[in-house]
Amino acid sequence: MQQSTTPLLDTALLLEALHSRTKQAVLLHTYSPVTGERLCIAAAGVHDVRLRRELACTPGAVDRLRRAPLDADAPGLVMLANLAGHDASLRQDLRQIRSVQVALTDSPLPGWILVSVPLRRLPGAPAIPGAEPSVVAAVSVMAPDAMEGDPLVAYGRLMRNAVQAAVETSVVIPHHRFAAAQAA
């Protein structure tokens, strides 16, 4: 009898922890293989007054933060860099992103920057070999662009380490109730 499994990663806790450490808005993006877009599916720290004011004054920025082509900005680029097979030919910028596992671009909101890292599928999570990429999402910090240099590099390192630790310490939980249905 084969058991079904579900990966468990508390993304809300991860986003809140990153927000607590950076004091910036933290976003979780995934992608649609059908449309080729990245989609924002969760956020933490978006209550910042300055951020809310600027979003309200910039028509279309919220929509572009919610949904954009994969090659539009950092969250999409970090996923795109990791979606192609290791033997695939990549543009120079995507090779660099894949190498450092961090992408940095301007945000759709003028005056803000996105620093993004990939979120990988949990070890042991079910997947058909070769059919599902190991990167399933991107985690991004949205910071004012006045923060140049060292703070942004530090955000990239912090996020890369926090996301990696979260994936490594998460578990895949067997669901026994589905095993009987599969056996039938």
Side-chain angles (χ1 to χ4, degrees):
M1 181 173 357
Q2 190 176 18
Q3 294 181 356
S4 174
T5 57
T6 300
L8 178 65
L9 172 64
D10 192 339
T11 54
L13 187 62
L14 173 63
L15 297 180
E16 286 297 334
L18 286 169
H19 167 64
S20 176
R21 302 259 322 257
T22 64
K23 304 301 184 221
Q24 305 296 335
V26 181
L27 310 171
L28 176 65
H29 293 91
T30 191
Y31 65 93
S32 168
V34 174
T35 65
E37 294 176 311
R38 60 114 180 109
L39 309 164
C40 185
I41 58 172
V46 293
H47 58 275
D48 178 76
V49 174
R50 176 181 172 205
L51 175 61
R52 285 187 166 279
R53 185 178 330 117
E54 290 186 27
L55 284 170
C57 294
T58 310
V62 172
D63 291 337
R64 294 290 287 175
L65 282 167
R66 283 188 186 133
R67 179 184 209 159
L70 277 173
D71 61 356
D73 52 28
L77 289 171
V78 81
M79 288 186 284
L80 194 59
N82 287 281
L83 288 172
H86 278 48
D87 56 347
S89 178
L90 292 175
R91 301 181 324 221
Q92 177 59 31
D93 62 332
L94 295 178
R95 280 197 309 268
Q96 177 67 20
I97 291 168
R98 182 187 278 182
S99 172
V100 297
Q101 295 296 292
V102 175
L104 187 141
T105 64
D106 289 335
S107 162
L109 181 62
W112 295 78
I113 290 176
L114 287 167
V115 181
S116 303
V117 298
L119 176 61
R120 300 192 179 287
R121 184 179 64 239
L122 295 179
I128 299 169
E132 185 179 330
S134 64
V135 169
V136 296
V139 178
S140 305
V141 165
M142 197 163 110
D145 69 2
M147 300 183 87
E148 295 179 8
D150 292 340
L152 296 177
V153 170
Y155 283 164
R157 282 190 201 124
L158 167 70
M159 290 173 29
R160 192 176 53 218
N161 293 341
V163 168
Q164 182 178 349
V167 167
E168 289 174 358
T169 59
S170 295
V171 296
V172 176
I173 300 174
H175 283 272
H176 302 286
R177 65 185 174 142
F178 296 116
Q182 289 178 346

